Amino acid sequence: MACFTAPLAEAVIVKAIEKNIEKKGTQESSERVPLTRKVKWLSTMLFGGSALLAFEHIWHGEITAWFPFLTAMSEKADAITMLKEIATVGVAMAALITAVWIVMCKVADMVLRSKAQETVEEANI
């Protein structure tokens, strides 16, 4: 129905945070992925997932080009079901994407740290 709106809302918020971080500027470390790049990964994952889900909903006729755009909004009982779906499935998908992003950032930092350690060890030999 409209489960893609929860990750989409998070994507918009993350994109605003990304722009704010870019404006401030951060120091880069050779042992860590820059925060700006990490936040960009998250916004890309969220926007991409939302776009894919929206396409799937359009394909199944749940989103239309005419008002009220979401077929579930045409009747009150369907709207309540849609809001429950957003609150459960949509929020769970957004949380899962964020959890995958956190793991991805940790792994990327570990890889960079080990490469930096190898470089130091090679320089000492």
Side-chain angles (χ1 to χ4, degrees):
M1 287 188 206
C3 57
F4 68 92
T5 57
L8 183 61
E10 182 183 353
V12 169
I13 293 167
V14 168
K15 192 65 167 177
I17 292 169
E18 177 188 336
K19 294 298 180 186
N20 192 14
I21 291 172
E22 284 177 357
K23 193 168 34 172
K24 288 182 181 178
T26 57
Q27 283 188 329
E28 294 186 21
S29 169
S30 63
E31 293 184 12
R32 295 182 67 120
V33 177
L35 181 61
T36 53
R37 184 173 295 164
K38 289 178 183 177
V39 174
K40 186 172 180 80
W41 290 345
L42 179 59
S43 68
T44 302
M45 290 168 67
L46 289 165
F47 275 121
S50 297
L52 189 62
L53 283 167
F55 176 76
E56 186 269 334
H57 287 307
I58 291 169
W59 187 268
H60 288 130
E62 296 170 353
I63 299 175
T64 59
W66 52 87
F67 189 80
F69 307 112
L70 298 169
T71 56
M73 293 292 289
S74 58
E75 294 188 29
K76 190 174 185 176
D78 290 340
I80 292 170
T81 304
M82 179 192 69
L83 292 174
K84 286 180 182 176
E85 181 183 312
I86 292 170
T88 55
V89 177
V91 171
M93 287 188 308
L96 180 64
I97 291 170
T98 305
V100 168
W101 171 75
I102 290 169
V103 171
M104 190 173 91
C105 290
K106 297 281 186 196
V107 169
D109 283 341
M110 286 173 35
V111 168
L112 279 182
R113 211 173 294 125
S114 69
K115 288 194 185 263
Q117 181 109 17
E118 288 174 10
T119 306
V120 169
E121 289 174 0
E122 288 176 5
N124 290 336
I125 295 178

